[in-house]
């Protein structure tokens, strides 16, 4: 096995992944989300007014909490503040349910702004948490099988929502695979057919990619995999092979080219992944991690207005 043992410390919280995010770009993306949700007048906002209020973020189904930076950005842009409770650590699995809801944060600001951000913030948090939850399940299944390679997502992400889903993979302990078309070179069947051969496609790609980018080639049989490795591919994806065929192909390829990383892909799920795991496979990728996740249920409930006595008590204690 040539790939490292990832995620050895994943039991720790993953709030530090927020430092990866380009905040200036996140602000632009969130502004677009808010504009999409409120392109014109907000009559409901007129009804509630602009008095300061507080709201509680509740988690109502079990899963991995993920997406705090996006949730915070929605409300910061709207002029509100978010205070997370100590239990609300990014990357931690929480056993919530409709009967046993967990309070995770308090959001403060003008009530019309709280309601303007509510659905956008919750949609983002629930989906990011869904990706992280499914990713954590997949990684746990791989570790339980004593396999130490990379469990990865794919580029099958939602347009306009890529960075959230890729971030959710990381928080859940999975690898992102290539972030976009500009990161790493992947030559698939259409590239190879258009270039004329695997060798020609790799040679042309290498001229542009130079030494700084890896080249991965999608192969569906041993002969293609051998040609790709011999021509200089860094990674060979064995795509849509039956598990036993894949294991034999991976073993023969690794024997001849031990430096080449081997990826198993094509319709693999967390349930079937164990059938593909072996010492000769370095990466198992699952499109389902960003295509087939269940959303985690959250809600935001505005608290009743404080009485004068409660306000004075809070002011005295602060």
């Amino acid at each position: 096995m040539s790939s490292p043992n990832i995620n050895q410390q994943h039991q720790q919280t993953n709030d530090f992944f927020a430092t990866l995010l380009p905040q200036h770009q996140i602000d632009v993306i969130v502004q677009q989300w808010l504009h999409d949700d409120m392109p014109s007048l907000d009559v409901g906002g007129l009804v509630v007014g602009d008095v300061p209020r507080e709201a509680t973020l509740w988690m109502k189904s079990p899963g991995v909490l993920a997406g705090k930076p996006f949730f915070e950005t929605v409300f910061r842009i709207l002029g509100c503040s978010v205070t997370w409770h100590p239990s609300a650590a990014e990357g931690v699995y929480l056993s919530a349910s409709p009967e046993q809801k967990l309070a995770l944060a308090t959001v403060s600001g003008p009530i019309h702004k709280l309601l303007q951000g509510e659905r956008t913030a919750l949609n983002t948090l629930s989906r990011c948490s869904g990706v992280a939850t499914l990713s954590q399940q997949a990684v746990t299944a791989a570790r339980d099988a004593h396999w130490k390679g990379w469990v990865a997502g794919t580029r099958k992400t939602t347009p306009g929502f890529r960075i959230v889903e890729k971030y959710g993979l990381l928080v859940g302990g999975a690898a992102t695979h290539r972030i976009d078309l500009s990161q790493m070179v992947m030559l698939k069947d259409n590239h190879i057919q258009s270039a004329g051969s695997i060798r020609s496609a790799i040679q042309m790609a290498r001229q542009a990619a130079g030494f700084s980018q890896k080249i991965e080639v999608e192969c569906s049989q041993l002969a293609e995999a051998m040609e790709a490795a011999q021509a200089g591919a860094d990674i060979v994806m064995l795509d849509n092979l039956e598990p036993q065929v894949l294991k034999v192909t991976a073993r023969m390829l690794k024997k001849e080219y031990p430096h080449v990383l081997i990826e198993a892909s094509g319709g693999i799920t967390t349930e079937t992944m164990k059938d593909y795991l072996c010492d000769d496979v370095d990466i198992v990728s699952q499109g389902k991690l960003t295509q087939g996740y269940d959303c985690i249920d959250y809600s935001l409930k505005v608290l009743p207005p404080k009485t004068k006595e409660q306000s004075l008590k809070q002011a005295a204690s602060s």
Side-chain angles (χ1 to χ4, degrees), residues 234-249:
D234 302 291
I235 307 169
V236 170
M237 175 196 289
L238 300 179
D239 192 44
N240 287 309
L241 273 66
E242 292 297 320
Q244 290 307 314
V245 175
L246 181 137
K247 289 179 179 180
V248 171
T249 303

Side-chain angles (χ1 to χ4, degrees), residues 199-218:
R199 179 175 294 277
S200 295
I202 292 176
Q203 288 175 344
M204 285 188 285
R206 184 59 71 192
Q207 288 180 355
F211 63 87
S212 62
Q213 282 186 297
K214 289 183 177 179
I215 295 176
E216 179 169 7
V217 180
E218 176 188 88

Side-chain angles (χ1 to χ4, degrees), residues 178-195:
R178 56 177 179 162
I179 300 293
D180 49 45
L181 277 175
S182 298
Q183 186 186 60
M184 195 173 75
V185 179
M186 182 180 289
L187 302 175
K188 300 172 75 68
D189 53 356
N190 287 323
H191 299 96
I192 294 164
Q193 188 273 336
S194 298

Side-chain angles (χ1 to χ4, degrees), residues 29 33 127-128 131 154-166 179 287-293 295:
I29 292 170
W33 292 343
R127 285 159 174 75
C128 191
V131 173
T154 70
R155 204 163 58 85
K156 295 177 180 177
T157 55
T158 307
F161 205 64
R162 180 204 316 266
I163 195 166
V164 180
E165 291 171 335
K166 291 290 190 180
I179 300 293
K288 187 177 180 181
L289 296 181
T290 54
Q291 279 192 318
Y293 58 89
C295 294

Side-chain angles (χ1 to χ4, degrees), residues 165-178:
E165 291 171 335
K166 291 290 190 180
Y167 175 83
L169 289 169
L170 287 175
V171 173
T176 61
H177 213 286
R178 56 177 179 162

Side-chain angles (χ1 to χ4, degrees), residues 221-223 225-226 229 236 238 241 244-260 262 278-281:
Q221 54 184 287
L222 177 61
M226 289 291 191
V236 170
L238 300 179
L241 273 66
Q244 290 307 314
V245 175
L246 181 137
K247 289 179 179 180
V248 171
T249 303
R251 182 170 66 249
M252 296 177 70
L253 181 63
K254 187 69 79 171
K255 182 179 179 180
E256 292 292 324
Y257 300 96
H259 65 284
V260 172
I262 299 176
C278 67
D279 289 342
D280 299 306
V281 171

